[in-house]
Amino acid sequence: GNSVTQMEGPVTLSEEAFLTINCTYTATGYPSLFWYVQYPGEGLQLLLKATKADDKGSNKGFEATYRKETTSFHLEKGSVQVSDSAVYFCALLYLQGAQKLVFGQGTRLTINP
Amino acid sequence: DVKVTQSSRYLVKRTGEKVFLECVQDMDHENMFWYRQDPGLGLRLIYFSYDVKMKEKGDIPEGYSVSREKKERFSLILESASTNQTSMYLCASSSTSVPEQYFGPGTRLTVT
């Protein structure tokens, strides 16, 4: 089956710290991979994506590389800001009828000034 | 920009009531989805629809039904609300050609 496992949260960091949120997946075939972000009181927004092995997705200073050999898609940012405080979801896309997403459990990130 | 709207941000209902959650998208997307979001469980797919009047069960359809009479609108129905359906409900849409899903702001439903 298809599944996504994310690093347990919550994660608390100081401003300008380096961030890594781990994500590993199990899937048949080669799914597309996504990171979504949910700011307080809002729905999910697409943060970045990668559609094939070794692709690097990037947006707003965040990066993630699709690693087929380790079935991973870890999210990184070199210097976090208070405004990055949110819940982050890793997801993979698979085809069953429509193209559907399966999500990890989410990681709550809090950045302190 | 794609816009997905949901009829209510917050809703409080009593046990046994019939509840309707409405979702509208303005980008002519073929696919629409209903998820529920619970702490520690991430998002779980309730139902999805890939065309008007077409629907398929997701991972947790029990206690829910859906309706898609028009392409832009997808409704989630709780036939007889129960306290274990207290949750955040998120609607999403996507096109078949570009499968990224776009989400609405969510409806936080409390069943008392």
Side-chain angles (χ1 to χ4, degrees):
Chain A
N2 300 296
S3 66
V4 175
T5 302
Q6 272 183 249
M7 170 179 179
E8 289 286 333
V11 174
T12 302
L13 296 172
S14 297
E15 205 164 21
E16 299 183 2
F18 183 86
L19 168 71
T20 300
I21 300 178
N22 290 337
C23 171
T24 57
Y25 67 90
T26 302
T28 52
Y30 303 104
S32 295
L33 300 172
F34 300 81
W35 277 100
Y36 280 84
V37 59
Q38 184 179 35
Y39 298 105
E42 298 183 13
L44 275 68
Q45 302 175 24
L46 179 64
L47 181 59
L48 53 84
K49 67 177 182 180
T51 57
K52 61 184 187 298
D54 300 324
D55 264 4
K56 178 185 280 188
S58 61
N59 186 25
K60 298 182 181 180
F62 291 89
E63 293 183 340
T65 301
Y66 188 160
R67 302 281 188 204
K68 187 177 70 171
E69 63 277 10
T70 54
T71 61
S72 65
F73 193 54
H74 305 321
L75 183 68
E76 297 182 336
K77 187 174 185 182
S79 176
V80 292
Q81 306 300 313
V82 172
S83 57
D84 294 326
S85 297
V87 181
Y88 292 81
F89 293 92
C90 186
L92 69 82
L93 185 74
Y94 67 101
L95 178 64
Q96 184 181 3
Q99 294 196 348
K100 298 192 291 183
L101 289 171
V102 61
F103 289 87
Q105 72 270 38
T107 302
R108 181 174 297 278
L109 173 67
T110 301
I111 307 300
N112 294 321
Chain B
D1 275 355
V2 175
K3 195 167 179 69
V4 180
T5 57
Q6 295 183 229
S7 50
S8 306
R9 293 300 300 271
Y10 301 94
L11 210 51
V12 180
K13 295 293 182 180
R14 293 192 181 274
T15 301
E17 280 193 80
K18 191 168 186 174
V19 181
F20 293 86
L21 303 182
E22 303 283 335
C23 175
V24 178
Q25 51 93 4
D26 67 356
M27 282 301 293
D28 202 36
H29 283 169
E30 297 87 0
N31 306 313
M32 296 188 74
F33 306 83
W34 275 107
Y35 296 90
R36 64 177 282 175
Q37 181 183 4
D38 299 290
L41 296 177
L43 276 72
R44 293 178 291 167
L45 182 65
I46 303 171
Y47 266 97
F48 70 97
S49 168
Y50 51 89
D51 202 352
V52 175
K53 298 190 187 294
M54 304 302 290
K55 59 189 179 185
E56 286 199 18
K57 294 179 180 179
D59 300 317
I60 51 164
E62 296 78 17
Y64 304 94
S65 62
V66 291
S67 173
R68 191 162 181 208
E69 296 296 320
K70 294 184 178 181
K71 191 174 186 178
E72 67 270 19
R73 189 179 297 270
F74 193 36
S75 301
L76 180 69
I77 304 154
L78 287 65
E79 296 290 342
S80 176
S82 64
T83 55
N84 63 11
Q85 293 178 310
T86 291
S87 188
M88 170 72 87
Y89 290 87
L90 292 166
C91 176
S93 71
S94 71
S95 77
T96 302
S97 57
V98 181
E100 297 167 16
Q101 291 187 19
Y102 295 85
F103 284 82
T107 296
R108 185 166 293 282
L109 172 68
T110 302
V111 182
T112 62

